Amino acid sequence: MDIHTNRFRWVIFASVLFTYLIISSQRTAPGLITDKLMADFSVKASTIGLVASIQFFVYTGLQIPMGILVDRYGPNLFLISGAALTGIGTILYSLGTHAFILFFARILTGIGDATIWVSMVLILSLWFGKGEFPRLIGLAGMTGSLGFLLATVPFSAVIVSFGWRGSFLSTGILLCVWSFFLFLILVKKPKQPLLVKSTLQHEKIPVLLRRIFLNRQAWALFLCHFGIVGGYIGFIGSWAVPYAMDVYGMTRIEASQVIMISLIGALVGAPLIGWVSSYLGKIKRPYVVFHITVLMCWTAFLLFKGQPPLFLVIILFFIIGFGFGANSLTFAAVRKSFPVTESGSVSGFANTGGFLSAVLLPGVFGSILESVQSTSGSISDGYFYGFFTPMIFSMVGLIGVMFLNEEQGAIGKQG
């Protein structure tokens, strides 16, 4: 039976999305217990910040290598082992008695996390047709945002009930057990190989990397993702709460509620934008629209000198979150314009762009904020000049999407 008409593929779809949901929640969940870690381990905030950020550095650095490995050996092994590694890392995190163990645990979690997205993209590419892909990858993007949402009030409630160690231990055990079920669902039941041999394995890695790095289509996708992801994850995940507290005098809880508006926007935007793209049969046109929309939102902060009216801030955060949902179109474009046998490598390259911007933006924004505040004495001025960072990142993304050619088979022959 053609796997594109096999009903079991929906079980696979639900299973990989559940995996992504849990792992996404663990990217930001440690932020809920920063004060507890500082007290329990007698360390400074800078140390905890390094522990928290190492996962994203590992994740970003492994995207291209992981894409190549997934293309060569298939996604099943890496999704299964990635869930297990993330589970083991989370268990070690919960049992840690020294900051070094926390550091090592987050490295393991980062390695496991690095396998998930590119593996999931390739699994969906193999089991679903091109026409279905934009809609389904939009749902996958929504699942990631739902994971971030899960790591707010719901996981906080679990921590209050069971303590931070018990909460993370339970999550780690769940992921380890789930990795066994993934083996049954992805390999045993559909009688698919754990390792898949590909003709790509005979090509030298430097040759493949050279073709990707010299390819305009690949760079367009890299820049698309750089522009749409960095502003949302980089700013919303690091400076949005301090911004609301410093400029609008909000409490931490009130500021967090404003950020929830952005998360809701992402939850709504990802599947809706995927559906629109699928309905139109186009990727570039809606992607251009949402890149321009997000760019206008960041520009609005500058037009109001970094202090728009509060009601407008809420609207802007929602729209920025909604526009972030368009990032799934990057991978829909990969699916449409590259052979399936190379989609992992290109997806990894594009995803590197997105998370590179997410890693860079908090530091750049913070440096500008500190520099301006030290010279002018005004924190509001600091935020005003800081907003040039997401605006410029967004402009880079718009340039990328303008160069995107969704009809082009950019590497090798069309699959």
Side-chain angles (χ1 to χ4, degrees), residues 313-337:
V313 170
I314 294 172
I315 294 172
L316 291 173
F317 277 179
F318 178 84
I319 296 174
I320 289 169
F322 189 96
F324 169 75
N327 80 86
S328 61
L329 296 183
T330 297
F331 305 98
V334 172
R335 175 69 178 91
K336 189 172 183 179
S337 56

Side-chain angles (χ1 to χ4, degrees), residues 13 25 36 59 74 95-96 117 130-131 142 144 183 245 251 266 278 300 313 316 320 371 385:
F13 178 70
S25 72
K36 296 180 184 295
Y59 178 97
L95 301 175
W117 180 259
K130 289 183 180 181
M142 181 193 75
F183 173 78
M245 294 172 66
T251 65
S278 183
V313 170
L316 291 173
I320 289 169
S371 176
Y385 287 104

Side-chain angles (χ1 to χ4, degrees), residues 13-29 79 86 113 116-117 120 139-151 155 171 174-175 178 267:
F13 178 70
S15 300
V16 297
L17 255 63
F18 180 76
T19 308
Y20 188 49
L21 171 72
I22 301 302
I23 289 176
S24 295
S25 72
Q26 293 308 295
R27 290 175 180 172
T28 55
L79 188 71
T86 305
D113 191 7
I116 302 304
W117 180 259
M120 181 172 66
L139 289 172
M142 181 193 75
T143 303
S145 297
L146 191 60
F148 293 144
L149 196 61
L150 187 64
F155 201 68
T171 305
L174 171 63
L175 283 169
W178 187 253
L267 279 172

